[in-house]
Amino acid sequence: MKLIGSYTSPFVRKISVMLLEKGMVFEFVNDPPYEAGNRVAEFNPLGKVPVLVTDDGEAFYDSRVIAEYLELLPDAPAFLPADRAGALRIRQIEALADGVTEAAATLFRESRRAPEKQDESWMLRQREKLQQGLDALEALAQQKTLLNGERLTLADIATGCALGYLNFRRILPNWCVGRPTLIKLAERLFARESFARTLPP
């Protein structure tokens, strides 16, 4: 099994954490899609990572689809409950955390453009998404049911990767202000070997 991606992608990190937590053997292929000469499009026509290539040569792409595939395999632990309704609620939090990550990535890319070419209104909209998404995650983490519970779930992994990306790219440096439960969740997740091993360089 091969995981194609880049060391800095939070979505690749999400899948890497899942694989490590499940103890699955895989080969990581560092092939950043933004670098010239990459071969990502050979496996994903959209040219995006992560891509998981099975031992049979079948390619799965988009981190949520890959996560779903991994949960179909017998390898433990499971990060989604067997109950479909319960799994759907976990997947919704995953989507929320991924949305926070996407807004942060958009802000990072926009910030790298020349100042005169940056769209301030667009950046403001992304910051609003970030704040609203983080507030929602904080509220969910306080409930300690679907997120921040006793068992590690896909919601926890996606949230940890989102918070890690904010720290890595220094997007919204004050994200932790007023969100004490998310801080504690992040500290607990970052102490796990799977998160330590996938820390971006």
Side-chain angles (χ1 to χ4, degrees), residues 91-121:
R91 297 308 300 262
Q92 181 165 267
I93 300 175
E94 178 197 13
L96 174 61
D98 283 356
V100 167
T101 303
E102 288 163 1
T106 299
L107 273 173
F108 174 71
R109 288 191 297 268
E110 189 72 13
S111 70
R112 299 188 72 181
R113 300 176 68 195
E116 66 275 9
K117 293 183 178 180
Q118 293 179 12
D119 187 335
E120 282 298 326
S121 62

Side-chain angles (χ1 to χ4, degrees), residues 22-169:
K22 288 175 178 288
M24 300 178 70
V25 177
F26 68 100
E27 175 189 354
F28 185 84
V29 180
N30 184 43
D31 194 11
Y34 46 81
E35 291 187 2
N38 76 82
R39 300 178 56 192
V40 176
E42 295 178 19
F43 303 94
N44 177 1
L46 299 176
K48 298 173 66 176
V49 294
V51 178
L52 186 76
V53 182
T54 70
D55 293 337
D56 295 331
E58 186 173 7
F60 291 94
Y61 46 86
D62 187 280
S63 69
R64 293 179 211 175
V65 173
I66 297 173
E68 183 72 23
Y69 169 75
L70 293 178
E71 286 298 287
L72 292 175
L73 300 178
D75 303 81
F79 297 120
L80 291 171
D83 172 58
R84 292 183 64 184
L88 179 63
R89 288 170 174 80
I90 295 293
R91 297 308 300 262
Q92 181 165 267
I93 300 175
E94 178 197 13
L96 174 61
D98 283 356
V100 167
T101 303
E102 288 163 1
T106 299
L107 273 173
F108 174 71
R109 288 191 297 268
E110 189 72 13
S111 70
R112 299 188 72 181
R113 300 176 68 195
E116 66 275 9
K117 293 183 178 180
Q118 293 179 12
D119 187 335
E120 282 298 326
S121 62
W122 177 246
M123 295 177 75
L124 178 61
R125 175 62 184 135
Q126 302 310 310
R127 291 190 187 98
E128 289 175 349
K129 286 183 182 180
L130 273 178
Q131 297 285 9
Q132 293 166 1
L134 288 168
D135 285 344
L137 289 172
E138 170 69 17
L140 288 162
Q142 289 176 3
Q143 296 173 13
K144 294 187 176 183
T145 52
L146 299 174
L147 177 66
N148 195 30
E150 293 183 3
R151 293 182 58 185
L152 185 71
T153 70
L154 188 52
D156 295 299
I157 294 173
T159 299
C161 291
L163 298 178
Y165 186 73
L166 290 177
N167 291 341
F168 172 60
R169 292 300 191 194

